[in-house]
Amino acid sequence: MRIISGKFKGRRLQVPTNITARPTTDFAKEGLFNLLNNRIDFEGIDVLDLFAGTGSISIEFVSRDCKSVISIEQNERHSAFIRKACTDLKITNLSLIKTDVFKFIAGCHTQFDMIFADPPYELEQLAQIPDLIFAKKLLKEDGLFVLEHSSKNMFDQHPHFVDHRNYGNVNFSFFE
């Protein structure tokens, strides 16, 4: 796993073979953060990363000087890898919460400048995630929510949808 930009730019973290998460490809991650660079001033923002997996996206946000990043990941092996990566990089502003994403959303009373979600593409409730984010008012005013998904899902009819980009088999839908 390579960190694309920021203070950890170029650092590589060896992902163990027992990790079952499907990490966002470097190509897609680079494309996503190039788009985000034009929309967001990363410095000082609060970020929520749902279905954090390897923590690749969370660490990318930390590398760009976000104030705080909360990573939600239920799998113990994935969580252990994120904790180890934070220790190795001496990251202090990433909070890992090992829980089910839907339970976290239901009980969350915090708002974020940026929310990123990379659920398993076959997740039954994937299409409900934007509605849950907006029903719980988890985005601050002018906040941005990005959902990674396969080409099977399209969100262009969602009332908060603003953009869609794809990088190979990786699709990102943007919501405000």
Side-chain angles (χ1 to χ4, degrees), residues 35-47:
L35 285 170
L36 293 177
N37 280 333
N38 294 321
R39 299 178 80 141
I40 294 175
D41 179 7
F42 293 104
E43 192 172 331
I45 68 169
D46 298 307
V47 177

Side-chain angles (χ1 to χ4, degrees), residues 13-171:
L13 300 169
Q14 189 60 44
V15 179
T17 56
N18 66 350
I19 296 286
T20 57
R22 170 202 33 77
T24 304
T25 64
D26 280 356
F27 171 68
K29 186 167 59 168
E30 193 163 4
L32 171 65
F33 277 93
N34 284 340
L35 285 170
L36 293 177
N37 280 333
N38 294 321
R39 299 178 80 141
I40 294 175
D41 179 7
F42 293 104
E43 192 172 331
I45 68 169
D46 298 307
V47 177
L48 175 63
D49 182 5
L50 301 171
F51 306 95
T54 62
S56 173
I57 298 294
S58 293
I59 293 169
E60 207 64 59
F61 279 115
V62 169
S63 186
R64 288 166 166 77
D65 290 325
C66 293
K67 180 173 79 178
S68 71
V69 177
I70 295 177
S71 301
I72 309 301
E73 177 54 54
Q74 186 171 18
N75 183 287
E76 179 54 46
R77 281 179 284 177
H78 302 171
S79 297
F81 176 74
I82 294 169
R83 281 191 295 274
K84 182 180 181 325
C86 288
T87 299
D88 292 348
L89 295 170
K90 297 176 178 57
I91 292 173
T92 59
N93 60 333
L94 188 152
S95 299
L96 173 65
I97 300 174
K98 187 181 167 292
T99 190
D100 174 78
V101 164
F102 296 100
K103 287 180 183 173
F104 175 82
I105 291 172
C108 184
H109 302 291
T110 305
Q111 289 188 315
F112 301 90
D113 299 289
M114 172 77 207
I115 300 174
F116 179 82
D118 181 9
Y121 287 179
E122 68 281 352
L123 184 71
E124 260 183 56
Q125 306 97 315
L126 189 145
Q128 300 166 16
I129 294 171
D131 290 335
L132 294 171
I133 297 294
F134 288 100
K136 287 293 292 181
K137 297 180 168 90
L138 297 184
L139 274 181
K140 292 179 183 176
E141 184 142 351
D142 299 324
L144 182 65
F145 168 49
V146 178
L147 177 63
E148 181 175 332
H149 57 88
S150 73
S151 59
K152 292 180 195 172
N153 299 92
M154 293 309 293
F155 294 93
D156 55 334
Q157 298 304 307
H158 192 278
H160 295 280
F161 175 86
V162 291
D163 199 3
H164 172 264
R165 299 294 171 99
N166 73 301
Y167 298 90
N169 294 326
V170 178
N171 289 264

